[in-house]
Amino acid sequence: MAACTACPVGHQAGFDGEHGELGSTTCTKCRPGRFAETAGSSNCTVCNATAYSDSYGRSACTNCPVGSYAPIPLPVGPCRACPPGSMSRSQGMPVACDLCEIGRYSKISATECTDCAAGRHALGVGTSSCAHCAPGKFSPSPGHQECTACPSGKIANTSGLTSCTPCERGWHAPMTGMDECVACPAGANTFDKESSSECGPCAVGRFSGAAGTAKCTDCAAGRHALGVGTSSCAHCAPGKFSPSPGHQECTACPSGKVTFEAGASACTLCAAGYHTKNTTGCENCTACDAGWFAPTANTSQCVPCSVGTVAGSTASSACTSCFAGEHMPVTGGSSCRACPAGRYSNSNASARCVPCEEGLFANTSGLTTCTRCAQGRFALLPAASSCHACPAGYNIGMQGGVSCEPSGQFWKNYTVPYPRYADIDAGIP
């Protein structure tokens, strides 16, 4: 009897069946999905769940490579690639690949999941791609599940950013997650700071004239800002001034000084002859009235002319002395008065006129001296404006007489007073 021959590897004895047959005269190749790894196998073995054979006569099954899996019940292969969002790290993976964790992703046939890059995120498991962080959000490093909202004071103005940008001076971001900064309104700013979440009003004496201004500016000299949050400065009103920048209020000009127009940084002295009526905050200088004067500039109040002097017009810087023959008995006079008849003044700046003495007279006004009465005439009382003739039977033999004498030797030293003219006229000696 002939000896039996062992079937080679990848074969089984007998025909295509699940079990070999005794007394077989032929060997049959293992069909796909089965294998025979040794010679003389009586039957082929089915590939396990992690391997496959896709042809006849295989002596071994092939493990699924990394990045793939072998679905059951398909031992004939081929292995299927891990779909996007999953991976397999080793050969012979079973029915499915592992899903990528949150914050990671994969393409097809991946052996590892990859962290989402900075500026991107993967919200769930099994993600095939990472999404860009939306405007207003960021992710600073790889592997983030969610993007982080920018804090107040900073923004992300485009998608996919890894950091937020500080708002510039004069701009702010009042909330988290903003994609653009908001300009501070006129009259406010961020106090020269970046990354501000709010704007603050300009302080008194300062302003910002436009939205988005980096810092508030001092009001210029001659201007002021009374309250906070001012977008423009006001001119100081006439009669007031501000000498330097940054003033809240303007200052009233002191007495003797004025500002004629708005916006003054200094007050102007009133000229000689003018005053401010002893008040502050004046817009104009006032001319001194006639009879009054201001001798120098910066005068707060005019002074009356003293007795014997006058100021004949307004805006006088000095008074004028009355001439001889004139007088001014009161202060604040505007014109000199002529001495009346019977009186005189023989010097300038006289406060009063002097009455003519007995025996003298001044028959007109404005005289500087008195005149003696002529012979035969007399002036008994002071301040005479004329001399009287001696009556019949009386005479005076010199000029400047004050009384008449009876004619003749007997009456030589007899004096008749002037008031007794009535007795003379009545015939009484």
Side-chain angles (χ1 to χ4, degrees), residues 1 21 29 41 53 84 113 138 200 238 240 260 319 345 356 361 417 423:
M1 175 181 291
E21 299 176 351
K29 292 180 178 181
S41 295
S53 67
C113 294
F138 74 106
K240 296 185 176 183
F260 300 105
C319 298
S345 69
C356 293
F361 74 102
D423 296 337

Side-chain angles (χ1 to χ4, degrees), residues 238-260:
K240 296 185 176 183
F241 74 106
S242 65
S244 57
H247 276 262
Q248 174 183 356
E249 295 184 5
C250 299
T251 304
C253 289
S255 181
K257 296 182 179 181
V258 297
T259 55
F260 300 105

